[in-house]
Amino acid sequence: MNKQFEGTILPENQRFSILLSAIFILLKLFLLHCYAAIYNITSSNPLSQNEILISPTQVFELGLFCLDNTTNQYVGIWYKNIAPRTVVWVANRENPVIDSLASLKIGSDGNLKIVDENEVTLWSTNVSVRSNSSVAVLLDNGNFVLQDGLSEQQLWQSFEHPGNTLLPGAGIGYDRETGERRVLSSWKSNSDPSRGDFVTEIVPRSPPQALIWNGSVPYWRSGEWNKLRFIGLQGMDSTYSRAISLVLNDDQESGYFYLSLNTTDTSITILSEGTLKIMSWRKDTGWYSTWKRPNNTCDVYGTCGPFGICKISEFPICSCLEGFVPKSDEEWNKNNWTGGCVRRTELSCLAKTSLEASQGEETDRFWKMNGIKLPDKSKYQDVKDVNECGQWCLNNCSCKAYAYVMNIGCLLWSEDLIDMQELSSGGEDLFIRLASSELGDHIIDLSNIFKMNLVSS
């Protein structure tokens, strides 16, 4: 008697889907082994589906590729001899090629274009080109460049249009004069390079600082740049100071400043979950992370709310500044500190008239904190020294705190103090304005120096 096969028969549409996926995987494997290397793209020599553009000494490759679990095609740049493939830039990240053959070509207007099999343009450099003699080349630093083939004038470069990764020689920053803003923007996921939720930028303040945004909400910040390092980064020693540099134009109000990497084996990437990482490469270990932020809960912007300070080594990690109490005891007891703290005692300068103050009434004083990641939203004041900085703050009732930082000078705060962290090493001194009654007998009278009192915490 014949035995009947008792297996599960898949529906026809599911079998077709599995067959299509298998064919696509085989096609990708076939193409990986059949790529032809080219060294430039011209109007008569486009980059087709089975070709790879290679940098002169074969450090980087550029070509069409697909990510895992998707048939969408992208034009991207990756390291040639590093496995698994590490994509550092994607041209058409917002507009992939779907279910069609594609090519990268120089059009009749001299611009680079990604077109599908129907010659529909999916991405273009879209710059003004005087002739159609354009040539595109991939440099050994990973910069993809469109240049005039006659004059070799650079017309466009990928370094001016960063994705989620910053390579050595590239930069992010802001040009106040033109309004240009270069940022790193995360992928949506490992299989979707379109713009995600997180953006890293150098904010055009004086002094500038690095900031990660989660949509329109601050997620992490570096603290101010003091011409050597970002002062809010614990452990940012000479190793990292050599790896990055921030160059400001002489005219900071209209100049362009950028963050660049100084070492060739290093990159900075903003991941889809919002982590900013400095990555380095070693032949024996591959890629490894040398630094990342946020690194803990205290690194996340505003964890302890206004007038709260975070210390990761303590529990609870948040506490109120001297002279402040939780805004909501109920929320605070639930370890929800984002509401922050409020003053226990009104400032003397708000409670008294200037006439009363001039007649010898008590004035506000300052509580000194050491080793602090300074709060956000500082304002620079051009004064000669720390004494003049403190006096300026005391004379202006809107001034809630001040600090005098090496290579920066006088910083003042007129808004709520937020995103403060106590650092185990490094950090700055911060002087917080309090009503004199808050300080009791702990006042150290330094009035002979600049007619104000400072109290050490």
Side-chain angles (χ1 to χ4, degrees), residues 307 322 324 343 345 347-350 363-367 390-402 417 431-435:
F307 302 106
E322 181 73 19
F324 291 80
R343 286 189 185 277
T345 305
L347 292 175
S348 302
C349 70
L350 295 174
T363 60
D364 300 323
R365 301 294 186 263
F366 290 90
W367 179 271
Q391 187 66 61
W392 199 99
C393 187
L394 183 64
N395 292 342
N396 291 269
C397 193
S398 62
C399 182
K400 298 178 180 179
Y402 77 93
L417 308 183
F431 299 89
I432 301 167
R433 189 184 197 122
L434 296 176

Side-chain angles (χ1 to χ4, degrees), residues 313-349:
S313 61
E314 295 184 355
F315 184 82
I317 59 174
C318 290
S319 59
C320 291
L321 301 179
E322 181 73 19
F324 291 80
V325 294
K327 184 176 182 180
S328 170
D329 288 325
E330 181 181 358
E331 292 297 317
W332 204 265
N333 292 333
K334 294 178 181 178
N335 294 335
N336 178 5
W337 309 288
T338 55
C341 308
V342 293
R343 286 189 185 277
R344 186 164 43 207
T345 305
E346 185 180 26
L347 292 175
S348 302
C349 70

Side-chain angles (χ1 to χ4, degrees), residues 145-432:
V145 175
L146 179 68
Q147 60 189 29
D148 189 295
L150 300 177
S151 65
E152 296 187 354
Q153 177 189 1
Q154 191 176 97
L155 306 171
W156 177 93
Q157 59 174 324
S158 62
F159 272 13
E160 293 182 349
H161 304 272
N164 72 330
T165 299
L166 193 66
L167 294 174
I172 59 175
Y174 189 94
D175 191 321
R176 288 189 178 97
E177 189 172 353
T178 65
E180 180 191 14
R181 178 172 170 253
R182 286 186 212 163
V183 302
L184 294 182
S185 55
S186 68
W187 289 15
K188 278 191 176 178
S189 68
N190 291 336
S191 58
D192 185 355
S194 62
R195 187 164 175 150
D197 294 330
F198 295 92
V199 170
T200 306
E201 70 168 336
I202 303 296
V203 290
R205 299 177 185 170
S206 182
Q209 58 180 320
L211 196 69
I212 298 176
W213 296 90
N214 182 0
S216 60
V217 179
Y219 182 61
W220 170 87
R221 67 183 183 93
S222 64
E224 294 80 1
W225 179 259
N226 74 349
K227 301 181 178 64
L228 296 173
R229 61 186 182 87
F230 291 110
I231 60 174
L233 298 186
Q234 182 168 294
M236 188 177 179
D237 56 18
S238 58
T239 302
Y240 301 113
S241 299
R242 288 193 300 269
I244 62 174
S245 63
L246 188 63
V247 180
L248 304 179
N249 239 13
D250 291 336
D251 182 3
Q252 294 185 26
E253 292 304 315
S254 61
Y256 175 72
F257 43 82
Y258 63 93
L259 179 67
S260 65
L261 297 165
N262 301 330
T263 53
T264 58
D265 58 349
T266 304
S267 65
I268 295 180
T269 299
I270 177 70
L271 303 181
S272 57
E273 67 271 19
T275 302
L276 187 67
K277 280 189 173 184
I278 296 180
M279 304 293 293
S280 294
W281 168 261
R282 280 200 304 246
K283 289 183 179 180
D284 55 339
T285 61
W287 287 108
Y288 64 98
S289 174
T290 61
W291 179 93
K292 68 176 183 178
R293 290 295 187 279
N295 196 37
N296 56 58
T297 306
C298 283
D299 285 338
V300 176
Y301 188 98
T303 293
C304 299
F307 302 106
I309 186 164
C310 198
K311 189 173 183 181
I312 197 63
S313 61
E314 295 184 355
F315 184 82
I317 59 174
C318 290
S319 59
C320 291
L321 301 179
E322 181 73 19
F324 291 80
V325 294
K327 184 176 182 180
S328 170
D329 288 325
E330 181 181 358
E331 292 297 317
W332 204 265
N333 292 333
K334 294 178 181 178
N335 294 335
N336 178 5
W337 309 288
T338 55
C341 308
V342 293
R343 286 189 185 277
R344 186 164 43 207
T345 305
E346 185 180 26
L347 292 175
S348 302
C349 70
L350 295 174
K352 302 177 184 302
T353 66
S354 57
L355 176 62
E356 288 173 326
S358 65
Q359 292 175 344
E361 296 292 334
E362 287 188 340
T363 60
D364 300 323
R365 301 294 186 263
F366 290 90
W367 179 271
K368 181 182 178 183
M369 302 185 70
N370 307 106
I372 302 300
K373 176 183 178 180
L374 298 178
D376 195 14
K377 302 178 182 179
S378 64
K379 301 292 184 183
Y380 173 75
Q381 182 67 30
D382 187 12
V383 299
K384 64 181 180 180
D385 57 30
V386 61
N387 296 338
E388 191 173 333
C389 182
Q391 187 66 61
W392 199 99
C393 187
L394 183 64
N395 292 342
N396 291 269
C397 193
S398 62
C399 182
K400 298 178 180 179
Y402 77 93
Y404 198 86
V405 182
M406 181 186 69
N407 294 330
I408 294 179
C410 180
L411 298 178
L412 306 171
W413 285 265
S414 59
E415 300 185 44
D416 290 352
L417 308 183
I418 193 166
D419 196 38
M420 298 177 60
Q421 185 177 350
E422 185 174 328
L423 305 179
S424 59
S425 62
E428 304 294 331
D429 294 341
L430 179 67
F431 299 89
I432 301 167

Side-chain angles (χ1 to χ4, degrees), residues 53-125:
L53 181 67
I54 298 180
S55 65
T57 60
Q58 302 191 20
V59 179
F60 286 95
E61 294 179 333
L62 178 147
L64 284 149
F65 72 98
C66 296
L67 293 164
D68 293 340
N69 304 317
T70 176
T71 58
N72 294 342
Q73 298 177 73
Y74 301 91
V75 170
I77 298 171
W78 56 85
Y79 294 91
K80 175 175 172 55
N81 296 314
I82 293 180
R85 179 163 57 192
T86 305
V87 177
V88 297
W89 183 80
V90 180
N92 57 322
R93 60 187 297 193
E94 302 293 344
N95 199 15
V97 182
I98 302 174
D99 299 329
S100 176
L101 295 176
S103 63
L104 178 64
K105 61 187 292 186
I106 292 178
S108 58
D109 61 354
N111 274 284
L112 273 166
K113 297 180 178 182
I114 300 174
V115 298
D116 64 14
E117 59 187 351
N118 298 315
E119 292 295 311
V120 175
T121 299
L122 302 173
W123 174 87
S124 173
T125 51

